[in-house]
Amino acid sequence: MKLKISRGELLTGFQRVQGVVEKRNTMPILSNMLFEAKGDQVILFATDLEIGIRGTYKAEVSQPGGVTVSARKLYEIVRELPEGTVTITSNDEHRVEIEAGKSEFKVLGLPPQEFPAMPTVESEPLMPMDRKVLSDLIRKTVFAAGDNNARYILNGLLVTLYTKDKKRFLRFVGTDGHRLAVIERQLDDGKGRGLPQEQTAIIPKKAALEIKKLLEENEEGPELGVSKNQMIFKRGGLLLLARLMEGSYPNYQQVIPKENEKRVAVNKAELEGALRRVSILSREKTSAIKLALEPDTLTLSSSNPDMGEAKETIAAKFGQEGLTTGFNARYLLDALAAIDAEEAVLEFKDALSPCIIRQPDDPDYLCVVMPMRV
Amino acid sequence: MPPTILHIDMDAFFASVEQRVNPALRGKPIAVCGANARTVVLTASYEARAYGVKTGMTLPEARGLCPGLIVVPSDHERYTDVSRRLLTIYQDYTPLVEVFSVDEAFLDITGSLTLFGGGEAIASAVKHRIRREMQLTASVGIAPNKILAKLGSGLKKPDGLVRIEPQDVPMLLEDLPVKELCGIGPNLERALADMDIRTCGQMGRTPVERLIGRFGIIGHSLKAMGRGQDDRPVVPTGEEPEAKSIGHSMTLARDVRRPDEIEHPLIELSEMVGRRARRNRYGGNVVTLTLRYADFQTFSRQRRLQSFLNDGMEIYLAARRILGTVRLEQAVRLIGVSLSGLIPDTGQLPLFETDQRRNRLLATMDGINDRYGEWTVRWGTLIAGHPHKAVISPAWRPKGVREYH
């Protein structure tokens, strides 16, 4: 294999695979990526057997071929190279040589046959998505999903496609058993022809986070699809496949309170600041804070028997009889971070019932947080 | 006044308790073993020790040495109960009693010397009461610190009483192998031997820089130990720092190769861990699985979870996921499950009704088992097996998170 490629193109490709390659050393070859040169392009593929990412990058290939090599090391090398052209060759012993300017690297690789095969994409119809819409769907729910939760299925996002009044909607749900976020977005008319009327899938949180990263590259034209056992994200020559999670997702609709009549509107930045400050002195590891609602104020407080205590009062129009409850400050901060408005609305029923957090101008988004006994 | 510390070590504790309860066992070689036939000898009576039977031997090994050996399954409730009663005796002489394990305790009697007429007088009184009230014997060491007191109690077993005076220390330690000191296990012993340090005298003369260079911060303690110095206080039971983990392990009825054969004991151990965490109102977010192969090679793998939990089911699910990442190279002999990253119950309420119901169910089960004994109500999966009786861990304490019975 021999090729010339621009350092910028290579860096983009290497960056994209970093999040997918396996960090734990269960199967050493999974910390490698597959590097293939053919035609006028380089194909990069990495997988942890749950998620696979494959991208194509423009290159001048003088001798086609392939090799698998440490994804981390090659990324570190290319990151430090100056702008310009990089020459990459590999020999029969699968040693990869990287030359750029005055630098020269030789990195040991393995034959490409040893790398897991790229999964084939079944010819499922993909739906074209607005970049901002897909980004919101993920960003506003992924924080609530589990991270290494003992209940495996909660480490995923529930994705539902449904049709109402001949219009297509996509709904994302994330929960870790303590909090929940739900968002719905209508898909543009006319898009997604050939898609089923209804479809449900649970996608791994890691895949959602990788897609979110790819969307931050600000390139338009993402497409999304779900086949029988995998989720497909496509954008031009870039493809991310994730194995769907199997299991039954909890009945989330049941836990969205219907009778939370005690509403309070607060300045989001002010509440976030107060939460961060007060939680500094909350009991270690729990971030437990107390929240006291009065007709015109909201008082946050924390206390730690070994440390001390903190208190902060902010203005908030509650206009009802008082209510005192407790929360994990981190859960509230995560929910507020997903609100794209100056004001956030909190809705309560009583001290031990879940609280709803809403964005005033977005009726199709809400987050539910269960209180703590403090 | 220099401190006066007693170390009280019960003689052949489990075996003596069994012989006290069952007169037919008195004067006979007996070995107390775990409830299942494959565990090792936990304690041998002095009659059995005369044949060479030692703690840690497998049953066939022990029977090979002593054909008439009577094997008694251990009854931990009995031993922990005796241990609690011994504690009340000790506490009549000083409030500073540190329960070191189920059959050992340190007493700081510095403040009660004049009241009871000296160290020997207290030691004799304690021994006398143990004999009269419990029909058991103990060996006692009296010394200015814990390490020497512990050494003293081991010098004349059984029923010994040894006082170690500061002036005796250099001679006593000069040729004493380092492994005789409490805190020096086989690994440390080997590492010291690699540095040509075999006796306490040698360890005490080794320049501290050399010990620190090899062992880091504990180099200081090793040097001090070699010279019979020890400034660790007697920490009264109940005031020890909070537990770092809650764990249980068991030797399987036979070595197993297939991961699915480990499932049942895994559920059982996870339930025990969850139960103990709930009893003490702790939650943990790290689950550790320990496996010991047939050749005694032992290793652990752990998993950090997102939330703090104490439901045996969730502990089991995490342990099973860990097991899924292990490729078993040999048959498994022992498994252990533990929960760490402990914090007092957070008070976080669950969002889902099913979880809320689950919490109520666990509280109800705990209530019944508190009242009518462990495993009175248990999950259907555990009905078939013989519920495991916990082995008393070296970290057993009469109360708090370490207690289990």
Side-chain angles (χ1 to χ4, degrees), chain A residues 29 75-76 183 242 285:
Chain A
I29 196 152
Y75 170 60
E76 285 173 0
I183 184 171
K285 292 187 192 169

Side-chain angles (χ1 to χ4, degrees), chain B residues 356-375:
Chain B
Q356 294 164 13
R357 276 208 306 265
R358 173 96 189 163
N359 287 352
R360 287 197 295 272
L361 176 66
L362 289 174
T364 308
M365 288 176 68
D366 287 344
I368 295 170
N369 289 337
D370 280 345
R371 186 156 173 194
Y372 298 102
E374 292 308 317
W375 306 115

